[in-house]
Amino acid sequence: MKIDKLIQSFIVPPSQRISLKQDYDPAYKADFLKKEDAQRILQEGIQQLAKYQDTLYAQNTYALLIILQAMDAAGKDSTIKHVMSGINPQGCQVFSFKVPSAEELDHDYLWRYSKALPERGRIGIFNRSYYEEVLVVRVHPEILERQQLPPEAKGKEVWNRRFEEINHFEKYLVSNGIIVLKFFLNVSKEEQKRRFLKRIDQPQKNWKFSFSDVKERGHWDDYMKAYEDVFNHTSTEWAPWYIIPADYKWFTRLAVATVISRQLQSLNLTYPTVNAEHMQELLKAKDALENEK
Ligand code: ATP
Ligand code: MG
């Protein structure tokens, strides 16, 4: 199917070098998709997702960790809202990671993320993640200073070492049934500006805007460099990165929903079957209920 091929093209091939600027167009939207069709396909995808999630929950063996990384206003929040709209809230959890607290800084850098991992049977979403530890922390090295690290843990090699640690961490998760799906919502600098201006001009969007967003925008090129390095070091066979075009929100949602749904489909999940003894009990219970006085 065309859409499956399309999804494949968003994957950062493990152990190949990519250029974010040259290889990934933020304004891409497939020619064969019309916005109206996309709405319908998204709705179907959401229904599929709900079905798969039900079996994931019933089986209680695998968990799905969805990581969302992006620049401000790329659409993380609205992607979560739309893509997860059909899902049973009991089987889903969202964690948004902000500037770490004093308690969090007193621990190793993966601590707060480990604590938030989804239980088996659940879908867990990280709205920002441990990747901030090699993104915002890299763009603002003074943050690293606040992490109270021993000298040997903050030398020049700190970023490569963290990439390696993250790869090992994810390998460990995947080997233990926690599937890791990583999305970068790739918005262009121009589109970010349009969305910021909208947040300023429309009163009901004002709350979404803070002046620090504009300050971070000033570091755009540094962020892009840091992201590119992340993709070139942490897209692995066991947890590849998907770079999703994000200038058109309808396309972003459709792409993310499809990747998640295909991933769950590939697990071939089925409802647990009961053994003969349990079946006898069910029949006995049925009999009792039907003959109740
Ligand atoms: P939105 O702006 O859409 O509400 P957001 O994810 O940008 O969502 P904010 O409250 O604006 O949420 O900001 C979170 C901030 O926390 C970001 O600027 C991010 O860079 C910062 N942050 C996240 N993780 C870390 C970290 N490990 N160390 C330092 N800063 C971090
Ligand atoms: Mg923000």
Side-chain angles (χ1 to χ4, degrees), residues 204-219:
Q204 71 275 31
K205 290 201 167 171
N206 285 171
W207 65 275
K208 267 195 160 253
F209 187 79
S210 87
F211 191 74
S212 66
D213 292 348
V214 176
K215 260 175 56 197
E216 283 315 285
R217 180 178 162 82
H219 299 283

Side-chain angles (χ1 to χ4, degrees), residues 215-244:
K215 260 175 56 197
E216 283 315 285
R217 180 178 162 82
H219 299 283
W220 185 276
D221 292 346
D222 294 336
Y223 272 108
M224 291 305 114
K225 250 174 67 191
Y227 266 112
E228 194 172 89
D229 216 30
V230 162
F231 303 140
N232 281 324
H233 285 92
T234 63
S235 198
T236 54
E237 299 289 349
W238 54 93
W241 272 101
Y242 289 82
I243 299 182
I244 307 290

Side-chain angles (χ1 to χ4, degrees), residues 151-168:
E152 62 274 20
K154 57 181 178 185
K156 211 166 82 249
E157 274 305 299
V158 57
W159 312 118
N160 282 335
R161 217 198 48 242
R162 285 190 172 191
F163 292 149
E164 207 179 304
E165 286 160 356
I166 287 172
N167 287 342
H168 285 155

